Amino acid sequence: MPKRNCGEINDEDEPPGLLSDSEDEDSDNDSIPGLESGSDSDSDEEWGEDSLRWEEDEHAHDPAPEVQNDGCGYRLPSFQGVEPGPNLADALDVDPNDPLHSFALFWPPEIFNKMLDATNSFGRLYVKRWAKDITGALLQAFLGLIIHLGLINYTGARDKLWENSWKGNKFVRSSVMPYHRFELILKAWHYVDYGQYTAEEIKENKKNDPFWPVAALETDLNDLYHLRMKPGQCLDIDEQCIPWKGRHKCRCYNKSKPVKRHFKVFSLNDSRTGYQHGFYLYRGKQEARPETVSATAYPAEKLLANEDYHNKCHILFTDN
């Protein structure tokens, strides 16, 4: 059957005001008031003798009225939340000897079936040579290959991994999926059913949210992460980087990072166990950030919006 126009946005034609290579650099070299080129930062007006006087607050380091000892010599406010740890109802159903059971806690049939339907729908509408829909077993094999390719190191073209040579990979070569089938599914791999929208609606949705095709997966995973583990008292917010060299409005560039071109992810983690309670993809200047919230405070406002984190005496750690 003829394929309809995909309605994809051409990221090469970025409208003014969106992130680009020249303005999306996460650099710490922002201009500081009073330190611009040509300013006299050592003048007596700014750094006079009076400005250097200070008084020590004798009670600044007094402990809170209700404190606890965390075992490391620090005295912390008493935690008002529930006992941290995994959801016991989920833990009882997990076989510790079968990693697929643990994986299924964060990839339940609802998410898997939604991805299967969206992938088949996209393939029928937009992918050439899409002969027939894939089955659940084939999508599982595809996801296994995706995870495996993310764990191994290889150079050159991806198709070399299927060759019976020193460039090939035994696991990939012995999989149930030939290379051309893998590439076909990769082109159709989606989480949102494009068949429910017209090309104009798809363009509008992407204009409003550059991560619209995966925004629903982002929401579903956040709900699962929060549900599976009860948070402890000590939390931290930090950045993650997803390597990406292609064109995209929200791609960031930071020359000081190991991966200079990347998507940035803000993550809420348990400081003691390292468990990720939530995350969100950084959308740059297209973030729906209230005017009353600064860009620095927005990650904490967004990631801690759930009432389970409110009035529990959580302690939040951040870096610069």
Side-chain angles (χ1 to χ4, degrees), residues 31-105:
S31 60
I32 302 175
L35 294 182
E36 293 87 349
S37 176
S39 63
D40 186 5
S41 58
D42 295 330
S43 64
D44 293 337
E45 293 183 301
E46 295 184 19
W47 301 101
E49 182 178 351
D50 293 340
S51 63
L52 300 179
R53 293 177 180 174
W54 56 278
E55 297 180 0
E56 183 176 359
D57 185 355
E58 297 179 356
H59 304 286
H61 301 286
D62 290 352
E66 296 183 4
V67 296
Q68 62 176 344
N69 194 309
D70 72 341
C72 300
Y74 297 99
R75 298 179 64 80
L76 307 175
S78 298
F79 185 43
Q80 304 300 319
V82 297
E83 184 68 20
N87 187 318
L88 293 180
D90 295 326
L92 293 176
D93 296 332
V94 175
D95 182 359
N97 298 318
D98 189 351
L100 286 178
H101 280 216
S102 299
F103 180 76
L105 290 177

Side-chain angles (χ1 to χ4, degrees), residues 1-279:
M1 61 179 293
K3 306 299 180 182
R4 71 174 184 175
N5 190 335
C6 183
E8 298 283 352
I9 291 181
N10 182 5
D11 290 332
E12 299 286 349
D13 302 328
E14 298 183 9
L18 297 180
L19 293 178
S20 63
D21 285 345
S22 60
E23 61 184 0
D24 65 359
E25 298 187 6
D26 295 335
S27 174
D28 294 330
N29 300 327
D30 296 330
S31 60
I32 302 175
L35 294 182
E36 293 87 349
S37 176
S39 63
D40 186 5
S41 58
D42 295 330
S43 64
D44 293 337
E45 293 183 301
E46 295 184 19
W47 301 101
E49 182 178 351
D50 293 340
S51 63
L52 300 179
R53 293 177 180 174
W54 56 278
E55 297 180 0
E56 183 176 359
D57 185 355
E58 297 179 356
H59 304 286
H61 301 286
D62 290 352
E66 296 183 4
V67 296
Q68 62 176 344
N69 194 309
D70 72 341
C72 300
Y74 297 99
R75 298 179 64 80
L76 307 175
S78 298
F79 185 43
Q80 304 300 319
V82 297
E83 184 68 20
N87 187 318
L88 293 180
D90 295 326
L92 293 176
D93 296 332
V94 175
D95 182 359
N97 298 318
D98 189 351
L100 286 178
H101 280 216
S102 299
F103 180 76
L105 290 177
F106 305 97
W107 205 273
E110 296 79 12
I111 285 184
F112 183 82
N113 292 333
K114 188 175 180 180
M115 179 173 292
L116 178 63
D117 294 340
T119 300
N120 282 323
S121 175
F122 193 92
R124 291 191 299 267
L125 292 171
Y126 304 126
V127 179
K128 296 180 179 179
R129 300 186 302 276
W130 186 267
K132 61 179 181 178
D133 290 349
I134 62 174
T135 62
L138 196 58
L139 182 60
Q140 289 178 349
F142 169 80
L143 293 176
L145 284 175
I146 289 290
I147 295 174
H148 183 72
L149 294 180
L151 297 176
I152 64 175
N153 294 322
Y154 64 93
T155 58
R158 186 165 51 231
D159 62 329
K160 301 297 182 182
L161 295 173
W162 272 263
E163 292 184 354
N164 189 14
S165 65
W166 66 271
K167 291 185 178 180
N169 181 274
K170 183 177 180 181
F171 176 81
V172 174
R173 189 169 57 250
S174 62
S175 66
V176 297
M177 189 181 309
Y179 170 71
H180 72 274
R181 189 59 168 161
F182 175 84
E183 289 294 326
L184 207 63
I185 299 175
L186 185 62
K187 293 178 181 179
W189 189 24
H190 276 73
Y191 193 71
V192 174
D193 187 354
Y194 275 40
Q196 300 178 357
Y197 305 91
T198 64
E200 290 72 20
E201 290 174 334
I202 293 174
K203 286 185 178 181
E204 186 65 24
N205 290 334
K206 288 188 175 182
K207 180 180 179 181
N208 296 331
D209 183 359
F211 285 121
W212 170 77
V214 295
L217 179 61
E218 179 184 17
T219 300
D220 291 344
L221 288 178
N222 270 287
D223 292 341
L224 285 170
Y225 292 169
H226 182 76
L227 176 66
R228 298 304 187 220
M229 186 76 72
K230 295 172 288 185
Q233 182 179 22
C234 297
L235 304 171
D236 67 82
I237 293 178
D238 206 349
E239 296 178 4
Q240 298 175 344
C241 293
I242 302 177
W244 179 258
K245 293 184 178 180
R247 298 289 300 179
H248 194 276
K249 297 177 177 63
C250 297
R251 188 194 67 178
C252 299
Y253 176 83
N254 190 334
K255 61 183 179 181
S256 64
K257 296 286 186 181
V259 181
K260 296 179 176 60
R261 293 172 175 84
H262 56 270
F263 293 133
K264 182 160 59 174
V265 182
F266 284 102
S267 176
L268 176 67
N269 315 297
D270 188 289
S271 300
R272 290 194 170 96
T273 65
Y275 180 85
Q276 185 182 63
H277 286 285
F279 72 97

